[in-house]
Amino acid sequence: MAGKTTVGVLAMQGAFIEHEQAIKSCGANCLQVRRAQDLQEIDALIIPGGESTTMGKLLKQFNLLDEIKFQAEQGMPIWGTCAGMILMAKEIVDSNQIRLGLMNIEIKRNAYGRQVDSFETDLEVKGIGTTRAVFIRAPYVQKVWGDAQVLASYEDKIVMVRENNMLATAFHPELTRQKEIQEYFLQMI
Ligand code: GLN
């Protein structure tokens, strides 16, 4: 990976430090994104896990919502993990929360229920192979349409989707030592 590539990590709320460390360990530069002008400095953007309703409100408040949408439409690679995946979705079941609404996916939030709210499993990902996946109060994807392509499912539920320059994972690759998903995203740049 070229050392000059800079990946932004949205740093309003949630698990952005872990993403920063993982991206740096792949050899790319990383920038914490908090203001619209930060988007001018980056080649790709990660939207981390956290609390999607809070993150949506903050995105709007800091004028990042429309700017990120604009960059995505211009082709900037964007990857949402967990809450980030929720924010990428056009449809969220039973929610009118603020979102980027970029991907042709329908999301169910907190979809695994309280009793198994966190778990870890091996996951088979199309074009990547087996990876270790950590799920924390994870959503899953109930439906995809248009150009959205399913890359991984867990127990018949869709947990990873790619749509052109956009990627979404219900799980947290930044919390394992494996780097396959980061490498995959860096190759989208
Ligand atoms: N349950 C959270 C939400 O709905 C997502 C959890 C996570 O990002 N780990 O926003």
Side-chain angles (χ1 to χ4, degrees):
M1 192 63 240
K4 289 223 174 71
T5 298
T6 299
V7 176
V9 179
L10 185 72
M12 317 233 82
Q13 194 263 342
F16 56 87
I17 300 285
E18 292 83 353
H19 270 298
E20 181 174 358
Q21 287 163 348
I23 284 298
K24 284 182 176 163
S25 76
C26 291
N29 295 330
C30 189
L31 182 76
Q32 294 186 2
V33 169
R34 295 194 175 82
R35 307 161 307 168
Q37 59 260 47
D38 297 335
L39 298 173
Q40 306 307 317
E41 317 285 318
I42 60 174
D43 303 302
L45 178 67
I46 295 173
I47 307 183
E51 171 50 48
S52 59
T53 49
T54 308
M55 249 190 264
K57 284 181 201 157
L58 290 169
L59 280 175
K60 192 159 189 190
Q61 197 175 318
F62 287 86
N63 292 320
L64 273 161
L65 202 68
D66 290 338
E67 288 300 322
I68 293 173
K69 275 195 216 170
F70 176 78
Q71 292 299 335
E73 281 154 14
Q74 301 297 304
M76 182 186 278
I78 313 225
W79 168 25
T81 56
C82 203
M85 174 192 236
I86 298 169
L87 289 164
M88 296 290 276
K90 286 190 182 163
E91 304 287 340
I92 306 169
V93 175
D94 294 330
S95 172
N96 57 8
Q97 69 191 82
I98 299 168
R99 68 201 70 173
L100 292 161
L102 288 164
M103 291 180 78
N104 289 319
I105 58 179
E106 182 183 71
I107 291 280
K108 191 157 163 45
R109 286 180 66 191
N110 301 315
Y112 293 95
R114 283 217 177 142
Q115 305 198 323
V116 282
D117 68 359
S118 302
F119 60 96
E120 222 182 298
T121 184
D122 283 332
L123 198 66
E124 199 52 38
V125 181
K126 233 177 249 170
I128 293 181
T130 309
T131 192
R132 194 78 188 149
V134 177
F135 292 79
I136 304 167
R137 288 183 294 287
Y140 61 65
V141 177
Q142 230 170 232
K143 205 163 83 185
V144 304
W145 63 96
D147 287 346
Q149 304 287 328
V150 175
L151 294 188
S153 297
Y154 172 70
E155 290 183 346
D156 295 333
K157 306 283 196 282
I158 300 163
V159 294
M160 181 168 178
V161 180
R162 170 153 182 196
E163 183 174 344
N164 305 316
N165 56 317
M166 296 175 288
L167 185 68
T169 54
F171 51 97
H172 291 263
E174 78 284 7
L175 297 183
T176 66
R177 243 175 257 150
Q178 289 163 298
K179 297 285 171 284
E180 298 93 354
I181 312 286
Q182 282 83 0
E183 299 287 358
Y184 180 91
F185 180 59
L186 289 170
Q187 277 167 22
M188 286 168 58
I189 298 172

